[in-house]
Amino acid sequence: MNTRTKILLAALNATWMAAMGQVSFGQPQKINDHWKFALEDKQEAKEPAFSDADWQDVNVPHDWSVKGQLSPSLASCTGYLPGGIGWYRKNLNVPAAKKGEKVYLYFEGVYNRSEVFINGHSLGKRPNGYVSFSYDATPYINFGGNNTIAVRVDHSQSADSRWYTGSGIYRDVYVVYANPVHINQWGVYTYPEVKGTAGTLNVEVEIENGLAKKAGVTVLNELVDKNGRVVAKSSQKLSVVANAKDKVATKLSVSSPQLWSIDTPNLYTLKTTVLQDGKKIDATTTQTGFRTFTFDPDKGFALNGKWMKMKGVCLHHDAGVLGSAVPEEVWKTRLQTLKTIGVNAIRTSHNPQSPVFYELCDELGILVLNEAYDEWEYPKRKWITGWNKGIPGFQGSYDIFADWAEKDLEDMVRRDRNHLSVWGWSIGNEVDYPNDPYSHPVLDGGKDGFGQPAYGGDKKDAPEALRLGGIAKRLVNVVKKFDKSRPTTAGLAGVAMSNETEYPFLIDVTGYNYTESKYVTDHKKYPKRVIYGSETVHDLEPWLAVKNNEHIFGQFIWTGIDYLGESGAWPSRGFYSGLVDFAGQIKPRGYFRQSLWSDKPMAYIGTYPTPQNEKQPSKDAWDIWNYQDGESIRVVAYTNAAKARLELNGKQVGEIKPYDEKTGIIVWDVPYKAGKLEVIGLDASGKEVSRYAITSSKQPAAMVIKQKGIVINKDKGVAQVLLQVVDENGVPVMLSDNEVTCTVSGPGTLLGLEAGNNSDMTDYTDNVQRVLHGHILAYIQATGQPGTVTVKFTSPWLKPVETTITVK
């Protein structure tokens, strides 16, 4: 076997193991290809005889909203993109040999209010658009023949969220074939304990018996390290009564286990096999390992006994032009970029993410706060004509909360509880938003303790904030039932109001949104409370409130990456406060954050015309060096060096300046002269530790592609091709906004072009787009066949460029 074949088989095996671990039973097979789709509501579409010949051919994951027409007549909260009602249909051939087995359909996520049919029979409805779910389709399966899957998706309440949600079957779909006696869905539960040099992996395995008679099985668990060596195993017998579930529990001991951490994310694999009469009837793999979390009201948070700060960001689930159907490769690149900035924690705001997201955080060493809800029993304001502008709407998910809240939370916890990266379960974000919807007499007092607008004083006709306690108690009980190893938490918008209720006293760890002013006073008032910044702005002060207070264990900045929705007044695609833009490129504020968070030496310079009155140097200065000769320009350096020197065309400009502890930014004002501007970071002794340069550019002349030798998997692998406009000397032209056309030939297709421009409301899903800051990103997806994909970029007056992608 040659090396290339070995690599491909390893990749395929990794994909299979991920599917096994996520679905957790039977033989899961992706059925993402060859679906039919129509954005219309036809009830007869559930019937096998219905003709879908004129429907659109699509592959899932599929988000119809992002492909829709942006319009100022639509809601700003979801990025001026449409919702609607859509239907999906697919033919599924089930071999006759499968008769006697169970057949399940497993959906990672459908937004939203979905109903699934097989051969005209309804399997069930799932209104929550973020949770994963499955249905037993066995009673209606035509074994040895064709079966028609139909899915109705009702996103007619298009403004049902404060951010962009997407619409449709936007995550993977599986058919699962299983023995009637099998591991229950998400039925393997592991959690580690480490004491000294000894590690114990607690394992529970739940078995479902779908037979009308008792079933005796043997459950074998084998723990395998990264080298493929079995380091611990156990075997247990279990008898499960007819049409019931039962479970076994065991402890696997490992001497001196390799711990999972931010810097060394060591992982183990648990292989679980179910035997009946000596024959294997089911098996799954679970990615797991060893690490410890410690939360203390005085010292904060410790990972594996080491006290540390969580340097976190909040993330929504879209990726610009891709909408909510985000491929694994894109998430991996984005998470790697955030980690280079110094990010070590993510908050999934404000809903469960796709399964692959957590797998990547496990692999890369990023802590995850897993969040369930943004609203509970009443709706929040949804802005229609611009963020916090005009008259809001009140569509939402509140109407399903009473019937589905506990079930949805249970499924989130059970699906994600094996991920080492997940440190806690958030039961809500800003559900205590003052007067949105809850109110309390304390709102008639001062503003202290309210990081968000309070919308006036106490409103007697509004729901009472005291209701929060009863709901929180129910949700906390659900979490504790299904996970013994992690704390519950929530992001509080109105701490002063919530402190008058049971709510913050029922959760284990309390998140404060934009309320740094209460960190010290509440620590004194509630000495047993563990506090962190669950949502903060990008400014230096909130970080210093974490850094300088031992008891505050971290912050989660709003936000890590620009996202669609929560838009300003038209034109605005989304919320533009990210460290990283829609195209995955680091913004100036990302480099500023890197200067605060990264352990590696770094430096960056940005510029802008010298202002007359500036209270604070900008953290949003782009690295542009093109102005009028002699114009006074403010140069700002973001660096973690002790001091810095500025050079223009090789000569020092101004004096060497020390790091400014008050602003985190070093500033020079210099007259503009074309050439090379460079900052050199120096340590305390004057030794160079970092360097960053920008150069004046001439007119755009050509385009260059930054990556070489791109290789992707033929099974829908995705390449991310970054194009940069340059001048005749190859210098990037940051001021360029040239229109670029992208053409693709070979076994690949263009998913879209993303420049990261928040105010460009043209169609990003076609093959023509303007660059921003001289660059644009093309997403190219393999279509299923091996070969070579040729990607060519052209633009008026610029020299064209092309590259090839190898598809294996």
Side-chain angles (χ1 to χ4, degrees), residues 185-365:
Q185 179 178 290
W186 308 320
V188 177
Y189 170 39
T190 70
Y191 65 95
E193 294 178 299
V194 180
K195 295 181 180 179
T197 60
T200 300
L201 188 69
N202 298 278
V203 180
E204 294 179 5
V205 181
E206 188 172 45
I207 303 297
E208 179 177 350
N209 178 12
L211 298 174
K213 60 181 180 180
K214 183 172 65 175
V217 298
T218 299
V219 180
L220 174 65
N221 283 296
E222 299 172 286
L223 188 62
V224 181
D225 66 15
K226 62 183 179 182
N227 298 315
R229 183 172 62 97
V230 177
V231 295
K233 63 181 179 179
S234 72
S235 179
Q236 295 167 285
K237 295 186 180 298
L238 178 68
S239 181
V240 187
V241 299
N243 296 310
K245 300 172 185 176
D246 204 351
K247 60 186 172 184
V248 295
T250 189
K251 293 179 180 290
L252 300 178
S253 298
V254 178
S255 178
S256 301
Q258 297 295 306
L259 301 183
W260 183 93
S261 70
I262 302 297
D263 298 321
T264 56
N266 294 301
L267 296 170
Y268 290 73
T269 300
L270 178 69
K271 294 183 177 180
T272 303
T273 306
V274 182
L275 304 166
Q276 192 172 49
D277 299 326
K279 180 182 177 182
K280 181 173 76 172
I281 60 171
D282 200 6
T284 192
T285 60
T286 305
Q287 195 174 67
T288 185
F290 298 89
R291 51 96 181 102
T292 62
F293 296 148
T294 306
F295 293 88
D296 184 271
D298 296 316
K299 297 181 68 64
F301 168 76
L303 175 61
N304 301 325
K306 182 179 179 181
W307 299 103
M308 60 171 284
K309 300 292 188 181
M310 287 194 197
K311 302 170 182 177
V313 294
C314 304
L315 285 186
H316 278 309
H317 71 302
D318 73 277
V321 66
L322 300 175
S324 56
V326 186
E328 176 180 357
E329 296 92 335
V330 176
W331 265 127
K332 186 169 186 177
T333 298
R334 289 178 158 218
L335 291 172
Q336 288 173 326
T337 299
L338 288 172
K339 194 159 186 183
T340 66
I341 290 172
V343 173
N344 62 22
I346 304 290
R347 177 186 179 214
T348 66
S349 47
H350 305 290
N351 48 263
Q353 298 271 15
S354 63
V356 72
F357 178 89
Y358 303 93
E359 293 163 12
L360 288 169
C361 289
D362 288 344
E363 173 191 328
L364 297 173

Side-chain angles (χ1 to χ4, degrees), residues 699-716:
Q699 293 293 323
M703 297 175 285
V704 296
I705 294 172
K706 300 227 170 180
Q707 307 95 326
K708 302 293 182 183
I710 302 175
V711 180
I712 59 175
N713 192 312
K714 68 178 182 179
D715 183 22
K716 301 299 185 295

